[in-house]
C-alpha cells in the first residue's frame, strides 16, 4: 500500500465488523484492500476450531482470488472434480463432472477445506494491512446509531469498551447479537430433526464413492465429503439426520457412528471403524427481514441460515461479504450514496430467499423422499440430465451457485 493510500485510510472512522468467523474476516479484508480502516471484534479468544463448512463452490473460489486466499486454500484443500447423486438401495444414480464448467469459471471444481483452516488464512491476510485491527475476547453487547457514525459497546476481560465506527457489519453468526440489537426479525423455522456429523478414517473410495456424494434414503440420507484434515489421505465426513427418539448422548456415542457406516455400506453390525469426530446440531431455515438497518449491515449466518445440503451456507455468506465489502467501501469513500447499501440488501436477500432457501429445502426433500414413484421419477430425471451435456451444464450452473451470482448481479 502506498503512503497516500495509508493516509486516506487513517482519516476515516473504521468500519466495525462483529465476528471473526469466515464472513466477518473476509468482509474486513475486502474493506481493508479498498483502503477502509476496519476493526474486527470477536468474543472468542481466537479463531474458532469447530468442524462446520467444508466445501467451496467455483464462484466462491473466484471471489477468494484477490490477496491470494484461494491459492493458499488450494495448497491444503482437496480439488473435487466429480460428485455423485447416489441412493442407498440403488447405488450410483449420476456422477457429475464439474469440468463441463471449464468455460464458465477458472475453478471448475469444488474445493474441500475445513472452515477452521480458512479463517487463519483470512486473518493473516487481513493483518497484513496496517489499517486493520482484530480484537479477540471482545463481545459485542450493543450499539447506538448517530447521523454520521455508530457507537458500539463491547465487553472485554477488563470491562466495557466503547468503540466508534462509521458502519457496523454484523457477521456474528446465526444467533447474532447485532441483528437483535436493531430488532431485525429472523423469519423461518427450525427442522424437528438434528444433524449428526461423523468423521472416520474408513475409506469409502474403494466402494465407488466420489469425494463428495449425496445418498438418498427414505429413512436416513447421508452426505459424504472427503476432507483434507491434517493431510493425505484425509478423513471422510458424513452428515445424516437423527430423529427425536435419540438423545444427544446416544447420537454422540461411537455405536451410533458405526451403525451409520454399516447402514451406508450394507455391512454387518460388528465392524469396528475408527471414528475421529462426532457432533450433533440443530438446523434452521431463516432469513433476516432486512439486511440493513441504517448504518448496520448483516452478512453470513447473521442474515440467513439453511440446511447444509448443497453447501450453500458459508458460500453464500462469502458472497455477501464480497458484495458488501465493495459497496460499503464505495460509500465510505464518498464515491456513492448510501442507497448503494439498499442494493446490497436487495441483491443478497433476494438470492438468499429465491436460491439458497428454495434449493437447500428441495435438496433435503429429494434425499428423504418416501414415495417410490416420486423417487423413481427423480432417478430417471437425474439420469436424463447426466446423459445430456447441455442439461448437465445447466444443472451444474445452478448447483455450483454460478446462477445465483448472475441473478444477484441482475438486480439493480
Ligand atoms: C455442521 C455444519 C456443517 C456445515 N457445512 C457447510 C458446508 O458444507 N458448506 C457451507 O457453505 N456451509 C456449511 N455450514 C454453514 C457454515 O458453517 C456457516 O454458514 C458459516 O459458519 C457462517 O459463517 P459466519 O462467519 O457468518 O458465522 P460464524 O462462522 O458463526 O462466525 C461468527 C463469529 O462471530 C462470533 N460472535 C458471536 N457472537 C459474538 C458477539 N456478541 N461479539 C463478538 N463476536 C461474536 C463467533 O464467536 C464467531 O467467531 C455448516 C454448518 C454446520 C453447523
Amino acid at each position: 500500500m502506498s503512503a497516500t493510500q495509508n493516509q486516506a485510510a487513517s482519516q476515516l472512522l473504521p468500519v466495525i465488523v462483529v465476528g471473526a468467523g469466515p464472513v466477518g474476516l473476509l468482509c474486513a479484508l475486502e474493506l481493508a484492500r479498498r483502503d477502509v480502516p476496519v476493526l474486527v471484534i470477536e468474543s472468542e479468544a481466537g479463531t474458532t476450531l469447530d468442524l462446520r463448512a467444508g466445501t467451496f463452490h467455483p464462484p466462491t473460489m473466484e471471489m477468494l482470488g484477490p490477496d491470494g486466499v484461494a491459492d493458499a486454500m488450494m495448497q491444503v484443500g482437496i480439488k473435487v472434480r466429480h460428485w455423485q447423486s447416489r441412493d442407498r438401495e440403488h447405488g450410483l444414480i449420476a456422477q457429475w463432472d464439474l469440468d463441463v464448467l471449464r468455460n464458465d469459471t477458472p475453478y471448475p471444481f469444488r474445493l474441500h477445506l475445513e472452515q477452521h483452516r480458512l479463517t487463519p488464512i483470512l486473518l493473516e491476510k487481513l493483518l497484513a494491512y496496517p489499517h486493520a485491527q482484530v480484537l479477540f475476547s471482545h463481545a459485542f453487547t450493543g450499539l447506538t446509531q448517530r447521523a454520521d457514525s455508530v457507537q458500539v459497546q463491547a465487553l472485554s476481560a477488563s470491562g466495557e469498551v466503547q468503540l466508534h465506527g462509521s458502519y457496523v457489519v454484523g457477521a456474528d453468526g446465526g444467533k447474532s447479537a447485532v441483528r437483535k440489537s436493531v430488532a431485525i426479525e429472523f423469519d423461518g423455522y427450525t427442522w424437528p430433526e438434528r444433524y449428526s456429523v461423523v468423521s472416520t478414517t474408513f475409506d469409502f473410495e474403494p466402494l465407488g464413492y466420489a469425494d463428495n456424494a449425496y445418498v438418498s434414503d427414505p429413512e436416513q440420507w447421508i452426505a459424504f465429503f472427503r476432507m483434507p484434515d491434517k493431510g493425505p489421505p484425509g478423513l471422510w465426513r458424513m452428515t445424516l439426520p437423527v430423529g427425536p427418539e435419540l438423545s444427544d448422548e446416544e447420537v454422540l456415542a461411537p455405536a451410533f457412528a458405526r451403525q451409520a457406516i454399516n447402514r451406508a455400506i450394507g455391512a454387518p453390525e460388528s465392524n469396528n471403524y475408527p471414528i475421529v469426530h462426532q457432533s450433533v446440531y440443530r438446523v434452521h431455515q431463516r432469513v433476516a427481514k432486512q439486511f440493513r438497518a441504517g448504518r448496520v449491515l448483516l452478512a453470513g449466518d447473521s442474515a440467513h441460515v439453511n440446511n447444509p445440503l448443497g453447501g450453500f451456507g458459508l458460500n453464500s455468506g462469502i458472497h455477501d461479504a464480497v458484495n458488501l465489502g465493495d459497496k460499503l467501501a464505495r460509500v465510505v469513500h464518498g464515491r456513492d450514496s448510501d442507497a448503494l447499501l439498499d442494493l446490497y440488501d436487495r441483491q443478497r436477500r433476494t438470492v438468499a430467499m429465491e436460491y439458497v432457501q428454495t434449493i437447500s429445502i428441495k435438496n433435503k426433500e429429494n434425499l428423504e423422499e418416501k414415495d417410490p414413484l416420486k423417487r423413481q421419477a427423480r432417478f430417471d430425471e437425474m439420469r436424463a440430465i447426466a446423459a445430456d451435456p447441455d442439461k448437465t451444464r445447466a444443472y451444474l450452473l445452478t448447483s455450483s451457485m454460478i446462477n445465483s451470482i448472475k441473478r444477484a448481479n441482475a438486480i439493480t
Side-chain angles (χ1 to χ4, degrees), residues 18-24 41-44 46 48 50-55 115 138-141 171-174 176-178 197 225 237 239 279 281-282 299-302 304 306 308 310-317:
V18 182
V23 174
I41 58 168
E42 163 61 50
S43 52
E44 297 293 324
T48 53
D50 50 346
L51 286 182
R52 297 178 66 184
T55 176
Q115 182 172 323
H138 278 66
F140 168 94
T141 53
D172 51 338
S176 176
V178 174
V197 180
F225 303 85
R237 186 194 289 186
T239 301
S279 58
Y281 68 103
R282 284 221 160 272
D301 274 19
S302 76
H304 46 81
N306 57 275
F312 301 140
L314 176 55
N315 282 272
S316 59

Side-chain angles (χ1 to χ4, degrees), residues 333-375:
H333 286 304
R335 294 184 198 126
D336 265 292
S337 85
D338 72 346
L340 192 62
L341 302 175
D342 295 326
L343 179 61
Y344 163 72
D345 174 297
R346 287 200 299 282
Q347 290 182 331
R348 295 305 310 158
R349 193 169 180 282
T350 302
V351 165
M353 297 294 293
E354 278 182 9
Y355 185 95
V356 172
Q357 293 296 316
T358 310
I359 301 180
S360 63
I361 293 168
K362 188 78 202 148
N363 286 345
K364 179 176 179 306
E365 285 169 358
N366 283 341
L367 285 184
E368 66 194 14
E369 179 59 60
K370 292 195 182 337
D371 181 332
L373 290 177
K374 286 189 185 161
R375 271 160 55 78

Side-chain angles (χ1 to χ4, degrees), residues 47-68:
T47 54
T48 53
L49 218 143
D50 50 346
L51 286 182
R52 297 178 66 184
T55 176
F56 296 88
H57 288 297
T60 310
M61 295 303 293
E62 288 180 43
M63 290 179 198
L64 291 166
D67 285 296

